[in-house]
Amino acid sequence: MNSQQGKNNNESVWDTQSKCILLEALGKYLPLGVNKHFSILNCTIILAEKLPQKNFSYDQVYKEISEFYNLDELDDDVIDEDEKEVFILPDSYKTLMDEKIKKK
């Protein structure tokens, strides 16, 4: 994501501090395998806790992580294709998590 984008939809702009916190969170919660989406949610929560003045959505965090890593390629290295089932969090769950983060 371009660092200049963000303010349009009440989203925060990525700066050096927020990227460092995200990378630190990724060290704890690797977004790989079946728990990928939950790991990304945990990273979103950590950002909200450490930077309460900022408002990073799940989608915004996912896009930023995708700038660092090719998540699909990493999943291919971790998950056996024959056993892989597609799982995507429902938008309603993402919305609930975003609302929860905004309340903090």
Side-chain angles (χ1 to χ4, degrees), residues 9-73:
N9 296 324
N10 241 0
E11 293 180 344
S12 293
V13 175
W14 290 98
D15 59 11
T16 305
Q17 181 185 21
S18 56
K19 287 183 181 185
C20 286
I21 292 170
L22 177 60
L23 288 171
E24 183 179 308
L26 287 171
K28 188 173 183 180
Y29 299 105
L30 290 175
L32 300 175
V34 296
N35 293 321
K36 173 171 60 176
H37 296 287
F38 294 107
S39 295
I40 294 170
L41 282 172
N42 281 327
C43 291
T44 305
I45 291 168
I46 287 171
L47 282 163
E49 289 172 351
K50 293 194 175 186
L51 299 170
Q53 72 280 12
K54 296 205 177 233
N55 182 28
F56 292 108
S57 68
Y58 171 91
D59 291 329
Q60 194 178 8
V61 172
Y62 184 93
K63 288 176 188 173
E64 188 66 24
I65 293 171
S66 296
E67 292 287 321
F68 297 115
Y69 302 105
N70 183 339
L71 295 175
D72 294 330
E73 189 71 30

Side-chain angles (χ1 to χ4, degrees), residues 72 75-76 79-86:
D72 294 330
D75 272 347
D76 290 344
I79 300 174
D80 183 8
E81 281 297 318
D82 295 332
E83 297 179 19
K84 183 177 177 181
E85 293 182 31
V86 175

